[in-house]
Amino acid sequence: MSDLTVAPHERGVLRLFTLDMRPEEAKFLREPGAADQVLGVDGLDSSHIDVFPVSDLEDLGLYGYLTEGCGVSADQLVRNALASVDGWVMVLRSAAFNGRPATLNPDPRLHLIGLFTEEATNWTGGTIETESAKPFSAPQNVTAGDTPRRVGSAILALVALLVFGGILWLIL
């Protein structure tokens, strides 16, 4: 499998391209469907494609953008090689393919710098050993008898009877 082949349901992969084209042409790649044309595939989600000049990154640089902004581990990157990249670049995330397989046929003006993987979140955790995490460890509420409910119902019935009797006394 080459770097230009996208596996079905691929996740967390970034493909970094340099763009050997005029700035106007590179800016046009930000439009929906334009990246599809230069990459030779259809149906890309343009919200997962970044096209920008490296100079916009200022002090952060391409290395910082990939490590801090995209979550690529530093051991995958060569700082000096990324520092030598200038001009416009395209970052293509695997989410742009919407889980579909694809084979990229990029325009000759696009050059693949590398394929990088984002660090995945580790969702595993150990067992919680505290007393409060054990099932049924919360204090049990003692339910009071229904005596107060019966007293309240009796008072309500007495008040209703008095009101009804008062209305009858006024009518007659």
Side-chain angles (χ1 to χ4, degrees), residues 118-170:
E118 298 172 294
E119 290 181 356
T121 303
N122 182 0
W123 293 103
T124 60
T127 344
I128 301 174
E129 299 294 333
T130 61
E131 187 66 31
S132 63
K134 293 180 181 174
F136 308 108
S137 62
Q140 302 298 318
N141 292 336
V142 178
T143 57
D146 35 320
T147 307
R149 269 189 264 172
R150 278 188 266 148
V151 170
S153 299
I155 292 173
L156 182 63
L158 182 63
V159 169
L161 208 62
L162 287 173
V163 170
F164 184 68
I167 292 173
L168 275 176
W169 184 68
L170 289 173

Side-chain angles (χ1 to χ4, degrees), residues 8-172:
H9 306 291
E10 178 182 274
R11 289 177 173 249
V13 178
L14 298 171
R15 288 172 177 79
L16 179 64
F17 294 91
T18 58
L19 306 176
D20 185 20
M21 53 183 64
R22 295 188 326 261
E24 298 81 31
E25 293 174 307
K27 285 180 189 176
F28 177 71
L29 293 179
R30 295 175 176 167
E31 298 296 321
D36 297 23
Q37 294 173 6
V38 294
L39 291 169
V41 288
D42 291 327
L44 293 176
D45 183 354
S46 60
S47 66
H48 296 285
I49 302 171
D50 295 328
V51 178
F52 57 90
V54 176
S55 60
D56 281 359
L57 299 175
E58 297 177 356
D59 294 336
L60 185 64
L62 201 50
Y63 180 85
Y65 172 80
L66 291 171
T67 56
E68 295 176 31
C70 297
V72 175
S73 63
D75 61 341
Q76 297 181 59
L77 305 173
V78 178
R79 186 183 291 265
N80 293 335
L82 291 172
S84 67
V85 174
D86 60 351
W88 286 74
V89 293
M90 175 191 292
V91 178
L92 178 65
R93 291 178 181 80
S94 54
F97 297 96
N98 296 316
R100 295 175 309 203
T103 301
L104 302 176
N105 297 310
D107 186 284
R109 299 174 294 170
L110 272 69
H111 305 284
L112 182 66
I113 294 177
L115 180 125
F116 310 104
T117 54
E118 298 172 294
E119 290 181 356
T121 303
N122 182 0
W123 293 103
T124 60
T127 344
I128 301 174
E129 299 294 333
T130 61
E131 187 66 31
S132 63
K134 293 180 181 174
F136 308 108
S137 62
Q140 302 298 318
N141 292 336
V142 178
T143 57
D146 35 320
T147 307
R149 269 189 264 172
R150 278 188 266 148
V151 170
S153 299
I155 292 173
L156 182 63
L158 182 63
V159 169
L161 208 62
L162 287 173
V163 170
F164 184 68
I167 292 173
L168 275 176
W169 184 68
L170 289 173
I171 294 174
L172 298 173

